[in-house]
Amino acid sequence: MQFIDLKAQYAALKEKIDARMQAVLDHGRYIMGPEVREMEEALEAYTGAAHCVAVSSGTEALLISLMALGVGPGDEVITTPFTFVSTAEVIALVGATPVFVDIEPQTCNIDASKIEDAITEKTRAIIPVSLYGQPADMDEINAIAERHGLAVIEDGAQSFGAEYKGRKSCNLSTIGCTSFFPSKPLGCYGDGGALFTNDEELATRARQIRVHGQDRRYHHIRIGVGGRMDTIQCAVILAKLEQFDWEVEQRKAIGARYQELLADAPGVQTLTVKHDRTSVWGQYTIRVQDRDNVVEKLKEAGIPTAIHYPCPLHKQPAYANICRLGSSLAQAEAASNEVLSLPMHPYLAEDDQLSIVREIDAVAAPTE
């Protein structure tokens, strides 16, 4: 059984993907070829955002966003400690201080009610993460940001395709960022990412930053990075976009089936999807006690699992002494000991899913 079955997806889309990749091989414009802008336009139409800027990874999307906003040394950026390291990494890379605020136990997203107390005169931005595929409380977060003159960058690496109050993830705030890492809901065959904004000036800065700060060839008006997305990876995304709506619906259906089947499983806590948004289940994650035992028993049964994430960022060696704690992080610490991700992808067979649930029922119940 595959945790994420990219081979099944390729088999379903082989003809389209091969044709798109061959077109790039034929024209030979491997850097900033025509598929780059074609993909950007397609994703602008999909999200409703005025501007999409394709970049080399989801991490680079976050980094370029902070650079475009002018965040740097002496500034603070509020985010969650319960996320992949990229979210805080980019804050440190621009010389700012990550400020960690605790999460909601029922969603594992940042707790919007704790953000305002963490704001200081140094705060410049908030980075909520749409963890596991579900957007955070973006309206509440945007309202806090507006009161304090802050930017909001949605880290939508796991949530591309999800909706919040009828709006697409990555078009919910000042800037939205996503990743096209192969395992993401919309993935390429290498690294890739994009940032989205409705602010033309921010988009212009981002486009300049991704090509070493150029506004024209060999004329550098700002500090930049080598942040371009390869043409061939954009071609893969264009091919996959043709079936993406179907894949999103499959993810929702499979996620809903997990939720229903595991609702009463002893020893299992399912996460909540709030009524005004959807999840694309970038990961399907539950909370269990005695996780090591559950993982081992599932492995024996041939069921792969993963832990997203086993150590909150404020306890990571590289960040422990450079961050500020904006609240107690008790919920993030508890979640890191309990979360467990199960196989999730649009091609997951119902029989396999039922097998997974049966094994969970058998091994997750707490012992006396």
Side-chain angles (χ1 to χ4, degrees):
M1 186 184 298
Q2 300 294 312
F3 187 74
I4 297 171
D5 198 341
L6 295 176
K7 289 183 179 179
Q9 184 191 52
Y10 176 61
L13 297 172
K14 183 179 188 305
E15 186 175 336
K16 294 174 181 178
I17 291 172
D18 288 357
R20 278 286 189 174
M21 294 177 73
Q22 187 62 52
V24 178
L25 295 172
D26 288 342
H27 67 58
R29 295 173 61 186
Y30 301 115
I31 302 295
M32 298 302 288
E35 286 81 2
V36 177
R37 186 60 196 140
E38 183 182 355
M39 186 196 78
E40 290 175 339
E41 290 175 345
L43 297 182
E44 287 164 358
Y46 182 82
T47 60
H51 306 282
C52 170
V53 182
V55 295
S56 55
S57 69
T59 304
E60 211 72 7
L62 292 167
L63 178 64
I64 291 171
S65 296
L66 289 173
M67 294 173 71
L69 290 164
V71 177
D75 295 332
E76 294 182 342
V77 179
I78 293 172
T79 192
T80 168
F82 195 67
T83 179
F84 185 61
V85 69
S86 294
T87 313
E89 182 176 53
V90 295
I91 299 169
L93 283 171
V94 298
T97 298
V99 177
F100 293 126
V101 168
D102 211 2
I103 62 172
E104 302 172 325
Q106 70 273 26
T107 66
C108 290
N109 275 332
I110 192 168
D111 188 336
S113 71
K114 299 184 183 299
I115 291 175
E116 200 148 25
D117 287 344
I119 294 173
T120 70
E121 69 280 356
K122 296 179 180 179
T123 308
R124 290 289 309 280
I126 306 168
I127 306 182
V129 178
S130 297
L131 198 69
Y132 303 145
Q134 175 182 196
D137 292 335
M138 296 302 294
D139 280 358
E140 291 85 345
I141 294 168
N142 287 333
I144 293 167
E146 187 173 359
R147 284 196 295 273
H148 294 272
L150 308 176
V152 177
I153 303 170
E154 181 197 6
D155 182 341
Q158 298 180 17
S159 63
F160 195 79
E163 294 188 355
Y164 173 86
K165 299 183 179 181
R167 293 172 286 149
K168 294 288 189 186
S169 176
C170 294
N171 188 24
L172 302 174
S173 55
T174 316
I175 302 176
C177 296
T178 200
S179 167
F180 300 132
F181 188 79
S183 63
K184 302 303 183 188
L186 181 62
C188 58
Y189 288 160
D191 275 316
L195 64 89
F196 301 82
T197 185
N198 293 304
D199 185 313
E200 186 172 358
E201 176 59 27
L202 284 177
T204 297
R205 290 180 206 164
R207 293 185 191 281
Q208 292 166 348
I209 292 167
R210 77 171 170 185
V211 288
H212 304 283
Q214 295 182 136
D215 63 344
R216 60 185 185 273
R217 190 167 176 79
Y218 297 133
H219 188 257
H220 306 269
I221 65 168
R222 60 182 78 250
I223 302 299
V225 297
R228 298 162 299 204
M229 185 171 172
D230 295 340
T231 306
I232 206 160
Q233 301 300 346
C234 293
V236 172
I237 294 295
L238 284 165
K240 288 190 175 187
L241 264 176
E242 296 185 36
Q243 192 155 305
F244 186 58
D245 284 341
W246 177 86
E247 290 192 351
V248 167
E249 292 307 310
Q250 288 296 109
R251 284 179 171 276
K252 290 179 185 176
I254 293 166
R257 191 181 304 128
Y258 265 137
Q259 293 288 85
E260 180 181 358
L261 293 171
L262 291 170
D264 300 317
V268 174
Q269 178 186 341
T270 59
L271 300 182
T272 300
V273 179
K274 296 188 177 182
H275 74 278
D276 57 359
R277 66 204 72 176
T278 64
S279 177
V280 291
W281 301 108
Q283 307 292 345
Y284 183 83
T285 302
I286 58 176
R287 297 179 67 155
V288 295
Q289 304 296 320
D290 195 14
R291 183 176 63 197
D292 289 348
N293 178 60
V294 173
V295 168
E296 186 59 33
K297 292 292 179 59
L298 291 176
K299 183 179 179 181
E300 290 172 3
I303 296 171
T305 60
I307 300 170
H308 304 96
Y309 297 94
C311 179
L313 298 185
H314 66 290
K315 291 196 168 186
Q316 294 284 358
Y319 296 89
N321 296 320
I322 66 167
C323 67
R324 182 169 71 79
L325 307 191
S327 72
S328 163
L329 302 178
Q331 295 296 341
E333 291 172 4
S336 70
N337 292 320
E338 297 175 0
V339 291
L340 180 64
S341 298
L342 304 177
M344 165 56 78
H345 55 85
Y347 303 87
L348 181 64
E350 186 171 354
D351 286 349
D352 285 341
Q353 190 175 15
L354 292 173
S355 296
I356 294 164
V357 171
R358 280 195 296 270
E359 291 297 332
I360 290 283
D361 282 338
V363 305
T367 55
E368 292 294 337

